[in-house]
């Protein structure tokens, strides 16, 4: 995956396709970008954009402020994943992992020491979204 979160979910999914082509991801991920409805992509972009805007506004945030932002984006993504308007399309395993990575990378890009925060809270690195995630 890219070192830095892309501008939107569609860009992230395009990166998935490139990573498959380069042999960095398994071929079963190849169709991921094409398998999502436009409504699911737009709703996901919207949730992530709100999260990014919140994180951009951080000024020396407390651990609790950071985790509240993570909770809000995860709950928004839960709603996206359950929304019947997306023709029954839901996030697959690979995309779930990428969404978690996206949250982690976005925080890091905006000055949050994610590893230190998680260590203070006793959370494993991959578990930053687990407390709220149902996708």
């Amino acid at each position: 995956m890219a070192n830095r979160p892309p501008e939107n979910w569609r860009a992230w999914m395009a990166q998935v396709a490139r990573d498959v082509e380069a042999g960095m991801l398994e071929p079963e991920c190849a169709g991921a970008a094409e398998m999502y409805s436009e409504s699911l992509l737009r709703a996901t972009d919207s949730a992530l954009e709100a999260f990014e805007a919140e994180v951009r506004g951080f000024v020396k945030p407390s651990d609790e402020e950071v985790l509240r932002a993570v909770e809000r984006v995860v709950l928004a993504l839960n709603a996206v994943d359950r929304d019947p308007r997306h023709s029954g399309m839901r996030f697959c395993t690979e995309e779930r992992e990428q969404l978690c990575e996206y949250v982690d990378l976005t925080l890091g890009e905006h000055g949050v020491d994610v590893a230190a925060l998680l260590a203070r809270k006793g959370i494993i690195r991959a578990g930053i979204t687990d407390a709220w995630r149902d996708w």
Side-chain angles (χ1 to χ4, degrees):
M1 279 299 125
N3 291 331
R4 166 171 206 282
E7 304 255 338
N8 60 47
W9 180 250
R10 275 168 266 193
W12 187 260
M13 295 311 299
Q15 182 64 46
V16 168
R18 286 190 296 275
D19 288 351
V20 168
E21 189 173 315
M24 297 169 58
L25 289 175
E26 296 299 317
E28 58 266 15
C29 299
E34 292 81 27
M35 72 183 208
Y36 291 113
S37 68
E38 190 63 27
S39 67
L40 184 127
L41 293 171
R42 276 194 307 274
T44 303
D45 280 347
S46 179
L48 295 175
E49 288 166 3
F51 172 67
E52 292 165 6
E54 182 174 7
V55 171
R56 267 193 307 276
F58 283 167
V59 178
K60 296 185 180 182
S62 68
D63 290 352
E64 289 69 28
E65 288 175 287
V66 172
L67 291 175
R68 279 194 301 271
V70 172
E71 177 182 12
R72 278 189 282 280
V73 72
V74 170
L75 294 177
L77 291 169
N78 286 346
V80 169
D81 191 53
R82 288 189 307 264
D83 192 330
R85 293 177 290 178
H86 306 310
S87 305
M89 295 179 180
R90 299 186 71 166
F91 302 128
C92 295
T93 301
E94 183 70 29
E95 288 71 40
R96 291 177 195 132
E97 292 171 7
Q98 291 166 359
L99 286 166
C100 295
E101 183 180 0
Y102 194 98
V103 167
D104 186 308
L105 290 171
T106 298
L107 291 170
E109 284 291 314
H110 292 88
V112 175
D113 185 342
V114 177
L117 179 149
L118 296 176
R120 287 189 297 273
K121 295 297 181 180
I123 302 170
I124 63 167
R125 187 71 184 239
I128 191 167
T129 62
D130 287 355
W132 309 282
R133 184 165 63 98
D134 63 8
W135 31 270

